[in-house]
Amino acid sequence: MDATAINEPGPARSAASITLENIGKTYPDGTVAVGDFSLEVGAGDLAVLIGPSGCGKSTILRMINRLIEPTSGRILIDGQNILDRNPVELRRHIGYVIQNVGLFPHQNIRTNIGTVPRLLGWDKKKINERADELLELVGLDPSRYAKRYPHELSGGQRQRVGVARALAADPLVLLMDEPFSAVDPIARGRLQEEFLKLQATVRKTIVLVTHDIDEAVRLGDRIAVLAEGGRLLQYAPPAELLSRPDSVAVGDFVGADRGIRRLAVTPLRPALRPVEEGAATDGRPVVEADGTLYDALAAMLAADATEVLAVEDGRPVGLVSRAALFDVPKAFDVPTNEAEAAV
Protein backbone atom coordinates (compact mmCIF):
# COMPACT_ATOMS: atom_id res chain seq x y z
CA MET A 1 0.00 0.00 0.00
CA ASP A 2 1.29 3.46 -0.87
CA ALA A 3 2.23 5.15 2.38
CA THR A 4 1.25 8.55 1.03
CA ALA A 5 -2.05 7.44 -0.43
CA ILE A 6 -4.20 8.94 2.30
CA ASN A 7 -2.11 12.07 2.79
CA GLU A 8 -1.37 13.49 -0.63
CA PRO A 9 -1.51 17.31 -0.46
CA GLY A 10 -3.37 19.66 -2.76
CA PRO A 11 -6.96 20.77 -3.29
CA ALA A 12 -7.87 17.59 -5.15
CA ARG A 13 -6.84 15.53 -2.11
CA SER A 14 -8.33 17.43 0.80
CA ALA A 15 -10.50 14.52 1.93
CA ALA A 16 -10.90 10.76 1.58
CA SER A 17 -13.86 8.41 1.73
CA ILE A 18 -14.20 6.02 4.68
CA THR A 19 -15.83 2.61 4.31
CA LEU A 20 -16.61 0.36 7.27
CA GLU A 21 -17.46 -3.14 6.06
CA ASN A 22 -19.03 -5.47 8.64
CA ILE A 23 -16.60 -4.43 11.34
CA GLY A 24 -16.86 -5.93 14.80
CA LYS A 25 -15.08 -5.87 18.14
CA THR A 26 -15.39 -8.70 20.63
CA TYR A 27 -13.22 -8.72 23.74
CA PRO A 28 -11.58 -11.86 25.19
CA ASP A 29 -14.24 -12.15 27.92
CA GLY A 30 -16.92 -12.43 25.22
CA THR A 31 -18.21 -8.85 25.47
CA VAL A 32 -19.43 -7.62 22.10
CA ALA A 33 -18.68 -3.91 21.90
CA VAL A 34 -19.54 -3.67 18.20
CA GLY A 35 -21.42 -6.31 16.25
CA ASP A 36 -21.71 -6.31 12.47
CA PHE A 37 -21.38 -2.61 11.61
CA SER A 38 -21.20 -1.06 8.14
CA LEU A 39 -21.10 2.60 7.14
CA GLU A 40 -19.98 4.74 4.21
CA VAL A 41 -18.71 8.29 4.72
CA GLY A 42 -18.21 10.30 1.55
CA ALA A 43 -15.08 12.36 0.99
CA GLY A 44 -15.54 15.77 2.60
CA ASP A 45 -18.61 14.73 4.59
CA LEU A 46 -19.11 15.04 8.33
CA ALA A 47 -20.71 11.91 9.77
CA VAL A 48 -21.92 11.90 13.36
CA LEU A 49 -22.13 8.76 15.50
CA ILE A 50 -24.72 9.12 18.23
CA GLY A 51 -26.41 6.78 20.65
CA PRO A 52 -26.66 5.86 24.35
CA SER A 53 -23.58 5.21 26.49
CA GLY A 54 -22.03 1.83 25.78
CA CYS A 55 -23.31 1.55 22.21
CA GLY A 56 -19.80 1.38 20.71
CA LYS A 57 -19.46 4.89 19.26
CA SER A 58 -15.97 5.60 20.57
CA THR A 59 -14.89 2.02 19.88
CA ILE A 60 -15.80 2.44 16.21
CA LEU A 61 -13.92 5.75 16.08
CA ARG A 62 -10.80 4.21 17.61
CA MET A 63 -10.92 1.28 15.22
CA ILE A 64 -10.61 3.71 12.30
CA ASN A 65 -7.16 4.81 13.49
CA ARG A 66 -6.32 1.41 14.99
CA LEU A 67 -6.11 2.51 18.60
CA ILE A 68 -8.40 -0.52 18.91
CA GLU A 69 -7.97 -3.41 16.50
CA PRO A 70 -11.18 -4.79 14.95
CA THR A 71 -11.82 -8.50 15.36
CA SER A 72 -13.73 -8.74 12.10
CA GLY A 73 -14.50 -6.78 8.95
CA ARG A 74 -12.56 -4.21 6.96
CA ILE A 75 -11.95 -0.48 7.25
CA LEU A 76 -11.06 1.26 4.01
CA ILE A 77 -9.81 4.79 3.43
CA ASP A 78 -10.20 5.69 -0.24
CA GLY A 79 -10.61 1.98 -0.91
CA GLN A 80 -7.37 0.97 0.83
CA ASN A 81 -7.42 -1.37 3.82
CA ILE A 82 -5.93 0.33 6.88
CA LEU A 83 -4.85 -3.06 8.26
CA ASP A 84 -2.23 -3.11 5.52
CA ARG A 85 -0.53 -0.10 7.10
CA ASN A 86 1.74 0.33 10.08
CA PRO A 87 -0.64 1.61 12.81
CA VAL A 88 1.74 4.29 14.11
CA GLU A 89 2.38 5.66 10.63
CA LEU A 90 -1.35 5.51 9.90
CA ARG A 91 -2.23 7.60 12.97
CA ARG A 92 0.22 10.31 11.95
CA HIS A 93 -1.94 10.88 8.86
CA ILE A 94 -5.30 10.91 10.63
CA GLY A 95 -6.27 13.90 12.76
CA TYR A 96 -7.68 13.04 16.18
CA VAL A 97 -9.46 15.40 18.60
CA ILE A 98 -10.58 14.20 22.02
CA GLN A 99 -12.84 15.63 24.72
CA ASN A 100 -10.12 16.96 27.03
CA VAL A 101 -7.85 18.05 24.15
CA GLY A 102 -4.71 16.39 25.54
CA LEU A 103 -2.27 19.25 24.91
CA PHE A 104 1.22 18.80 26.34
CA PRO A 105 1.34 21.16 29.35
CA HIS A 106 5.13 21.70 29.19
CA GLN A 107 5.06 22.80 25.53
CA ASN A 108 3.88 26.13 24.18
CA ILE A 109 0.99 26.30 21.74
CA ARG A 110 3.12 26.52 18.59
CA THR A 111 5.12 23.46 19.66
CA ASN A 112 1.93 21.55 20.53
CA ILE A 113 0.48 22.18 17.09
CA GLY A 114 3.71 21.07 15.43
CA THR A 115 3.79 17.65 17.15
CA VAL A 116 2.86 15.48 14.16
CA PRO A 117 4.80 17.50 11.53
CA ARG A 118 7.93 17.03 13.69
CA LEU A 119 7.35 13.29 13.77
CA LEU A 120 6.99 13.38 9.99
CA GLY A 121 10.36 15.10 9.63
CA TRP A 122 9.28 18.60 8.59
CA ASP A 123 11.89 21.33 9.04
CA LYS A 124 11.44 23.82 11.87
CA LYS A 125 10.63 26.83 9.65
CA LYS A 126 7.87 24.94 7.84
CA ILE A 127 6.44 23.66 11.15
CA ASN A 128 6.29 27.15 12.66
CA GLU A 129 4.70 28.60 9.53
CA ARG A 130 2.09 25.84 9.52
CA ALA A 131 1.34 26.32 13.23
CA ASP A 132 0.84 30.07 12.78
CA GLU A 133 -1.32 29.49 9.70
CA LEU A 134 -3.57 27.15 11.68
CA LEU A 135 -3.79 29.50 14.65
CA GLU A 136 -5.08 32.14 12.26
CA LEU A 137 -7.50 29.60 10.80
CA VAL A 138 -9.04 28.75 14.19
CA GLY A 139 -9.27 32.41 15.19
CA LEU A 140 -6.27 32.77 17.50
CA ASP A 141 -3.70 35.49 16.76
CA PRO A 142 -0.26 33.79 16.53
CA SER A 143 1.48 36.89 17.88
CA ARG A 144 -0.60 36.58 21.07
CA TYR A 145 -1.04 32.84 21.50
CA ALA A 146 1.81 30.93 19.80
CA LYS A 147 4.19 31.21 22.77
CA ARG A 148 1.62 30.75 25.50
CA TYR A 149 1.17 27.49 27.39
CA PRO A 150 -2.07 25.48 27.66
CA HIS A 151 -2.79 26.60 31.25
CA GLU A 152 -2.85 30.21 30.03
CA LEU A 153 -5.77 29.54 27.67
CA SER A 154 -9.49 29.13 28.31
CA GLY A 155 -11.17 25.79 27.71
CA GLY A 156 -12.59 26.98 24.41
CA GLN A 157 -9.22 28.28 23.26
CA ARG A 158 -7.54 24.97 24.16
CA GLN A 159 -10.17 23.14 22.15
CA ARG A 160 -9.39 25.32 19.13
CA VAL A 161 -5.71 24.49 19.53
CA GLY A 162 -6.64 20.80 19.66
CA VAL A 163 -8.40 21.14 16.30
CA ALA A 164 -5.42 23.05 14.88
CA ARG A 165 -3.05 20.31 16.05
CA ALA A 166 -5.23 17.64 14.43
CA LEU A 167 -5.08 19.54 11.14
CA ALA A 168 -1.34 20.27 11.28
CA ALA A 169 -0.19 17.60 8.82
CA ASP A 170 -3.17 18.29 6.52
CA PRO A 171 -4.84 14.89 7.07
CA LEU A 172 -7.58 13.68 4.78
CA VAL A 173 -9.53 12.26 7.72
CA LEU A 174 -10.37 13.85 11.08
CA LEU A 175 -11.76 11.85 14.02
CA MET A 176 -13.45 13.76 16.86
CA ASP A 177 -14.55 12.14 20.13
CA GLU A 178 -16.99 14.47 21.93
CA PRO A 179 -14.72 17.42 21.14
CA PHE A 180 -16.89 20.18 22.63
CA SER A 181 -18.48 18.50 25.64
CA ALA A 182 -15.90 19.73 28.16
CA VAL A 183 -16.72 23.42 27.70
CA ASP A 184 -19.66 25.45 28.98
CA PRO A 185 -22.85 25.66 26.86
CA ILE A 186 -22.23 29.20 25.62
CA ALA A 187 -18.66 28.47 24.55
CA ARG A 188 -19.83 25.19 23.07
CA GLY A 189 -22.32 26.91 20.78
CA ARG A 190 -19.66 29.35 19.61
CA LEU A 191 -17.17 26.55 19.00
CA GLN A 192 -19.72 24.63 16.96
CA GLU A 193 -20.40 27.69 14.83
CA GLU A 194 -16.69 28.31 14.31
CA PHE A 195 -16.14 24.66 13.50
CA LEU A 196 -18.82 24.75 10.79
CA LYS A 197 -17.05 27.72 9.21
CA LEU A 198 -13.72 25.92 9.48
CA GLN A 199 -15.11 22.78 7.85
CA ALA A 200 -16.51 24.89 5.00
CA THR A 201 -12.92 26.09 4.44
CA VAL A 202 -10.87 22.90 4.87
CA ARG A 203 -13.55 20.33 3.87
CA LYS A 204 -12.10 17.26 5.57
CA THR A 205 -13.79 13.89 5.97
CA ILE A 206 -14.88 13.89 9.61
CA VAL A 207 -16.33 11.23 11.90
CA LEU A 208 -17.60 12.82 15.11
CA VAL A 209 -18.91 11.11 18.24
CA THR A 210 -21.41 12.89 20.48
CA HIS A 211 -24.18 12.21 23.00
CA ASP A 212 -25.95 15.45 22.08
CA ILE A 213 -28.67 15.20 19.41
CA ASP A 214 -28.73 19.00 19.00
CA GLU A 215 -25.00 18.99 18.28
CA ALA A 216 -25.44 16.11 15.84
CA VAL A 217 -28.20 17.93 13.97
CA ARG A 218 -26.25 21.17 13.87
CA LEU A 219 -22.95 19.73 12.65
CA GLY A 220 -23.63 16.53 10.73
CA ASP A 221 -24.10 16.00 7.02
CA ARG A 222 -25.38 12.55 8.00
CA ILE A 223 -26.17 11.07 11.40
CA ALA A 224 -25.76 7.42 12.40
CA VAL A 225 -27.98 6.40 15.33
CA LEU A 226 -26.55 3.40 17.17
CA ALA A 227 -28.00 0.95 19.66
CA GLU A 228 -26.28 -1.28 22.21
CA GLY A 229 -23.69 -3.58 20.68
CA GLY A 230 -22.88 -1.15 17.89
CA ARG A 231 -26.05 -1.87 15.91
CA LEU A 232 -26.88 0.75 13.30
CA LEU A 233 -30.53 1.83 13.56
CA GLN A 234 -30.55 4.60 10.95
CA TYR A 235 -28.07 6.60 8.88
CA ALA A 236 -29.52 9.70 7.25
CA PRO A 237 -29.20 13.46 6.78
CA PRO A 238 -30.44 15.41 9.84
CA ALA A 239 -33.65 16.63 8.19
CA GLU A 240 -34.64 13.11 7.10
CA LEU A 241 -33.78 11.61 10.47
CA LEU A 242 -35.94 14.15 12.28
CA SER A 243 -38.88 14.02 9.89
CA ARG A 244 -38.95 10.27 9.17
CA PRO A 245 -37.38 8.13 11.94
CA ASP A 246 -37.06 4.52 10.73
CA SER A 247 -38.28 3.06 14.00
CA VAL A 248 -39.83 3.83 17.36
CA ALA A 249 -36.39 3.48 18.93
CA VAL A 250 -34.94 6.17 16.67
CA GLY A 251 -37.95 8.41 17.23
CA ASP A 252 -37.60 8.05 20.98
CA PHE A 253 -33.90 8.83 20.81
CA VAL A 254 -34.18 12.00 18.70
CA GLY A 255 -37.02 13.15 20.96
CA ALA A 256 -40.65 14.18 20.81
CA ASP A 257 -39.54 17.73 20.01
CA ARG A 258 -37.81 16.64 16.80
CA GLY A 259 -40.18 18.88 14.83
CA ILE A 260 -38.59 21.92 16.49
CA ARG A 261 -35.12 20.53 15.83
CA ARG A 262 -36.04 20.02 12.20
CA LEU A 263 -36.64 23.75 11.85
CA ALA A 264 -32.96 24.28 12.73
CA VAL A 265 -31.88 22.39 9.59
CA THR A 266 -34.57 23.77 7.28
CA PRO A 267 -33.42 26.72 5.12
CA LEU A 268 -35.46 29.86 5.34
CA ARG A 269 -35.42 30.82 1.66
CA PRO A 270 -37.92 28.24 0.32
CA ALA A 271 -40.52 29.56 2.78
CA LEU A 272 -40.17 33.20 1.70
CA ARG A 273 -43.05 35.03 0.08
CA PRO A 274 -42.40 38.27 -1.81
CA VAL A 275 -42.61 41.64 -0.16
CA GLU A 276 -45.30 43.56 -1.99
CA GLU A 277 -44.07 46.75 -3.59
CA GLY A 278 -44.74 49.72 -1.32
CA ALA A 279 -45.66 47.49 1.63
CA ALA A 280 -44.56 48.74 5.04
CA THR A 281 -41.85 46.57 6.60
CA ASP A 282 -41.07 48.62 9.69
CA GLY A 283 -41.78 47.00 13.03
CA ARG A 284 -41.37 43.40 11.92
CA PRO A 285 -38.59 41.30 13.45
CA VAL A 286 -35.70 40.78 11.06
CA VAL A 287 -33.70 37.63 10.26
CA GLU A 288 -31.00 36.86 7.71
CA ALA A 289 -32.28 35.24 4.52
CA ASP A 290 -29.57 32.58 4.73
CA GLY A 291 -30.82 31.49 8.15
CA THR A 292 -33.20 28.70 9.11
CA LEU A 293 -36.87 28.40 10.01
CA TYR A 294 -35.74 28.02 13.62
CA ASP A 295 -34.22 31.51 13.43
CA ALA A 296 -37.57 32.78 12.13
CA LEU A 297 -39.49 31.05 14.95
CA ALA A 298 -37.14 32.48 17.60
CA ALA A 299 -37.56 36.00 16.19
CA MET A 300 -41.36 35.63 16.09
CA LEU A 301 -41.53 34.42 19.68
CA ALA A 302 -39.18 37.14 20.94
CA ALA A 303 -41.28 39.87 19.29
CA ASP A 304 -44.68 38.17 19.68
CA ALA A 305 -45.07 38.53 15.91
CA THR A 306 -46.83 36.42 13.29
CA GLU A 307 -44.23 36.98 10.56
CA VAL A 308 -40.63 38.03 10.10
CA LEU A 309 -38.79 40.03 7.47
CA ALA A 310 -35.85 38.28 5.79
CA VAL A 311 -32.99 40.50 4.67
CA GLU A 312 -29.87 40.06 2.58
CA ASP A 313 -27.09 42.65 2.84
CA GLY A 314 -29.58 44.77 4.76
CA ARG A 315 -32.15 44.66 1.93
CA PRO A 316 -35.62 43.08 2.40
CA VAL A 317 -36.00 39.96 0.24
CA GLY A 318 -39.16 38.35 1.61
CA LEU A 319 -41.47 37.52 4.47
CA VAL A 320 -41.98 34.31 6.45
CA SER A 321 -45.27 33.73 8.19
CA ARG A 322 -45.94 31.62 11.25
CA ALA A 323 -48.09 29.31 9.11
CA ALA A 324 -45.07 28.53 6.91
CA LEU A 325 -43.31 27.00 9.91
CA PHE A 326 -45.93 24.25 10.07
CA ASP A 327 -45.74 23.25 6.40
CA VAL A 328 -43.74 20.07 5.93
CA PRO A 329 -41.10 20.92 3.30
CA LYS A 330 -41.37 18.82 0.16
CA ALA A 331 -37.68 17.98 0.47
CA PHE A 332 -38.56 15.85 3.51
CA ASP A 333 -41.52 14.11 1.90
CA VAL A 334 -39.43 11.05 1.09
CA PRO A 335 -41.06 7.86 -0.28
CA THR A 336 -42.07 5.39 2.42
CA ASN A 337 -42.45 2.34 0.20
CA GLU A 338 -41.55 1.07 -3.25
CA ALA A 339 -44.95 1.86 -4.73
CA GLU A 340 -44.72 5.44 -3.58
CA ALA A 341 -41.17 5.71 -4.88
CA ALA A 342 -42.27 4.59 -8.32
CA VAL A 343 -44.89 7.33 -8.64
Side-chain angles (χ1 to χ4, degrees), residues 5 7 22 37 45 81 105 117 148 157 173 222 270 279 288 309 340:
N7 200 47
N22 308 111
F37 185 86
D45 284 351
N81 194 335
R148 293 190 185 183
Q157 289 169 338
V173 170
R222 293 176 71 87
E288 292 294 325
L309 178 68
E340 194 176 338

Side-chain angles (χ1 to χ4, degrees), residues 25-245:
K25 180 62 183 179
T26 303
Y27 289 99
D29 64 359
T31 300
V32 178
V34 178
D36 186 9
F37 185 86
S38 297
L39 198 73
E40 181 78 32
V41 184
D45 284 351
L46 195 162
V48 178
L49 306 183
I50 191 168
S53 296
C55 70
K57 303 183 299 293
S58 293
T59 300
I60 291 169
L61 198 74
R62 292 169 188 164
M63 285 195 281
I64 295 174
N65 66 358
R66 295 187 66 184
L67 286 174
I68 294 176
E69 295 286 351
T71 50
S72 60
R74 298 196 308 163
I75 299 173
L76 311 174
I77 296 181
D78 263 5
Q80 299 174 320
N81 194 335
I82 66 168
L83 295 179
D84 294 337
R85 296 196 65 175
N86 177 283
V88 175
E89 192 273 339
L90 172 74
R91 289 177 206 130
R92 290 176 181 174
H93 295 94
I94 295 178
Y96 191 43
V97 183
I98 59 176
Q99 179 177 336
N100 293 312
V101 189
L103 300 178
F104 301 118
H106 60 287
Q107 294 181 353
N108 66 32
I109 299 308
R110 180 181 285 146
T111 305
N112 261 285
I113 293 173
T115 299
V116 173
R118 279 197 307 277
L119 294 172
L120 294 174
W122 293 20
D123 65 70
K124 186 174 181 180
K125 182 174 182 293
K126 182 180 178 183
I127 292 172
N128 289 340
E129 288 175 349
R130 178 62 172 164
D132 289 355
E133 173 192 354
L134 287 167
L135 282 172
E136 291 276 8
L137 190 65
V138 299
L140 296 173
D141 183 354
S143 65
R144 293 184 57 195
Y145 294 99
K147 293 185 178 181
R148 293 190 185 183
Y149 286 82
H151 73 272
E152 299 177 292
L153 273 59
S154 69
Q157 289 169 338
R158 287 195 297 271
Q159 201 65 54
R160 293 191 210 179
V161 174
V163 173
R165 185 174 66 177
L167 293 170
D170 199 21
L172 302 183
V173 170
L174 187 61
L175 307 178
M176 308 184 77
D177 197 349
E178 301 203 58
F180 308 124
S181 62
V183 296
D184 66 83
I186 294 175
R188 186 176 190 175
R190 290 173 180 165
L191 282 170
Q192 290 169 350
E193 190 63 34
E194 291 166 0
F195 180 71
L196 284 172
K197 294 176 182 176
L198 178 65
Q199 171 64 349
T201 301
V202 300
R203 210 61 206 174
K204 299 297 180 184
T205 304
I206 299 173
V207 182
L208 183 148
V209 164
T210 184
H211 281 90
D212 185 342
I213 184 62
D214 290 318
E215 181 169 84
V217 167
R218 186 176 191 182
L219 299 182
D221 294 310
R222 293 176 71 87
I223 301 172
V225 181
L226 280 67
E228 187 176 351
R231 292 184 298 111
L232 180 62
L233 298 180
Q234 187 169 355
Y235 184 46
E240 181 182 332
L241 184 74
L242 294 172
S243 60
R244 294 289 179 85

Side-chain angles (χ1 to χ4, degrees), residues 292-319:
T292 66
L293 290 184
Y294 184 88
D295 299 326
L297 175 62
M300 288 180 198
L301 292 175
D304 192 22
T306 58
E307 60 183 13
V308 297
L309 178 68
V311 300
E312 187 172 39
D313 298 327
R315 179 179 56 85
V317 294
L319 294 167

